[in-house]
Amino acid sequence: MAQVRLENVRKVYPDGFVAVHDASFEAGDGELLVLVGPSGCGKSTLLRMIAGLEAVDGGSLSIGGRVVNDVAPRDRDIAMVFQNYALYPHMTVAGNLAFGLKLRGMDKAAIAARVDGAAKTLGLEDMLQRKPAALSGGQRQRVALGRALVRQPQVFLLDEPLSNLDARLRAAMRVEIARLHRSLGTTMVYVTHDQVEAMTLGQRIVVLDGGRIQQIDTPMALYERPANLFVATFLGSPAMNVLRGRLVLADGPALVGEGGLRLPLPGLGVPDSWDGRELALGLRPEHLLRADSDQAGAFDAPVEVVEPVGSEVFVNLRVSGFPLVARLPPGDIPRVGEVLMMRAAVNRLHMFDVQDGRRLES
């Protein structure tokens, strides 16, 4: 096990494009740290720099207290799991698991013991003589994990390992990876664009956009106190509702915007100096609640689309031209065209600056 530390790490390509801007973070000894963000945000580039597959153009990168900026990949004591499995099609499962150890000159008995141990850990005992073509996607991914596992590295690096699996297999493999990390206690750095994977797997999450770190924190801290509008809308499914307008405090706090929008916010605690302030108001779908007609803060919301998903119902609404999504319990499912009385859970609002998207604190 080892700590991975990046201090002002930078990556610039020959054409001048800056893929990573001065990234600083740390994966603690035994931690499962997730790098998440949209395509092109720099997360895979960061992982490849940790692996030694991309040069570090600035800053310091250390593994286990040793600076590895100029250390070859094979000498970093890491193992990497790729999105496309990267298995040898002509070899059996046992051959794939053993291949890297044979290249390192390990004796046959030690190789057999490690292959057997990995197969038992990942439930591959009955598949050791099969070739990859005879395996399902989930089984192939377990072999790819096993090939990293037999190395017994200080650090596991996982680059979108579940992207090629269907939804059911992804859910099963998430549990398997979490279980594997708990049993091994090895440092893992995991890259994904899927915010559900990030939230369910990561002990801490590094959120990236445009090659810059936006926020680093635990999953629930990111969800409940996003540092900016990007983090707020990236994490969460369905995404956070965002309404833009002007805060008006006279006759009771309300957000007033284009198209006749007036969202009442009774009990909103903000300084008087905020009166007339332009802001972006964020509200999670679960914090958009059904209301009685005489309840403070109630407003009309016509139903546009209803999405029942079994345990809950996503109701797409439109208020003065603004789309909103509410997460409601199952039961009496609203009808398209019906007008619901809704209210915002004012104590769960998020407010952001309309210019730079930073979180505003009242």
Side-chain angles (χ1 to χ4, degrees):
M1 294 188 292
Q3 178 190 77
V4 177
R5 181 190 293 271
L6 283 76
E7 297 179 5
N8 301 313
V9 165
R10 186 175 176 85
K11 179 64 186 178
V12 185
Y13 287 107
D15 63 359
F17 175 71
V18 182
V20 176
H21 299 258
D22 301 319
S24 297
F25 62 84
E26 176 186 302
D29 194 357
E31 181 179 19
L32 201 167
L33 183 77
V34 175
L35 310 183
V36 69
S39 178
C41 71
K43 57 189 184 296
S44 289
T45 301
L46 273 169
L47 197 75
R48 290 172 62 82
M49 285 195 284
I50 296 171
L53 303 177
E54 294 275 3
V56 176
D57 295 325
S60 173
L61 195 161
S62 62
I63 299 175
R66 177 178 65 140
V67 176
V68 296
N69 288 39
D70 300 315
V71 175
R74 64 173 296 159
D75 299 323
R76 296 191 180 198
D77 198 10
I78 56 94
M80 194 161 180
V81 179
F82 297 92
Q83 176 181 346
N84 62 358
Y85 317 137
L87 302 179
Y88 297 106
H90 64 288
M91 292 184 183
T92 63
V93 169
N96 270 280
L97 294 176
F99 185 69
L101 302 180
K102 289 178 180 178
L103 288 181
R104 285 166 174 74
M106 187 175 290
D107 67 78
K108 290 184 178 180
I111 290 174
R114 289 200 186 182
V115 168
D116 182 61
K120 287 179 179 176
T121 298
L122 295 169
L124 297 170
E125 303 104 304
D126 298 332
M127 306 173 200
L128 288 174
Q129 299 312 311
R130 295 190 202 173
K131 291 184 178 178
L135 303 177
S136 68
Q139 290 166 341
R140 292 179 196 179
Q141 193 54 276
R142 292 213 303 273
V143 176
L145 285 168
R147 190 172 54 187
L149 184 59
V150 297
R151 291 272 314 280
Q152 297 181 358
Q154 289 191 92
V155 179
F156 282 99
L157 305 177
L158 299 97
D159 190 10
E160 306 224 31
L162 310 184
S163 292
N164 290 337
L165 305 181
D166 61 38
R168 184 177 177 183
L169 272 176
R170 279 203 304 273
M173 287 302 299
R174 282 202 307 267
V175 173
E176 205 153 331
I177 289 171
R179 193 177 290 143
L180 182 64
H181 174 257
R182 188 170 61 250
S183 65
L184 296 176
T186 306
T187 306
M188 290 186 178
V189 182
Y190 186 108
V191 159
T192 181
H193 66 276
D194 186 327
Q195 54 94 13
V196 174
E197 276 181 35
M199 293 288 289
T200 54
L201 276 174
Q203 292 174 305
R204 285 188 308 135
I205 300 173
V206 180
V207 184
L208 294 128
D209 185 42
R212 299 181 187 276
I213 293 176
Q214 302 297 310
Q215 190 174 357
I216 305 173
D217 216 323
T218 61
M220 289 311 297
L222 290 171
Y223 189 80
E224 293 174 352
R225 291 189 61 79
N228 57 44
L229 197 52
F230 173 80
V231 177
T233 54
F234 186 79
L235 295 178
S237 181
M240 179 185 284
N241 297 297
V242 178
L243 297 169
R244 289 173 172 80
R246 181 168 50 90
L247 193 61
V248 175
L249 302 183
D251 301 322
L255 185 74
V256 176
E258 295 178 359
L261 172 70
R262 185 179 179 87
L263 183 71
L265 303 170
L268 180 67
V270 294
D272 291 343
S273 60
W274 282 37
D275 191 22
R277 183 170 190 169
E278 295 283 341
L279 51 78
L281 193 72
L283 185 66
R284 297 280 182 200
E286 59 269 28
H287 301 143
L288 189 56
L289 311 174
R290 295 290 292 267
D292 298 324
S293 58
D294 59 349
Q295 194 167 2
F299 58 89
D300 293 342
V303 176
E304 287 196 322
V305 178
V306 178
E307 300 175 287
V309 293
S311 61
E312 55 196 356
V313 179
F314 303 144
V315 181
N316 294 263
L317 310 162
R318 188 164 291 272
V319 179
S320 301
F322 285 87
L324 296 175
V325 180
R327 187 196 303 266
L328 301 179
D332 186 11
I333 298 176
R335 301 182 307 276
V336 172
E338 184 179 353
V339 177
L340 302 183
M341 295 300 298
M342 306 296 294
R343 65 180 179 89
V346 175
N347 62 333
R348 303 307 298 269
L349 291 176
H350 305 264
M351 291 176 284
F352 305 96
D353 186 89
V354 291
Q355 300 300 322
D356 58 16
R358 77 184 188 281
R359 184 182 186 86
L360 300 175
E361 300 290 355
S362 59

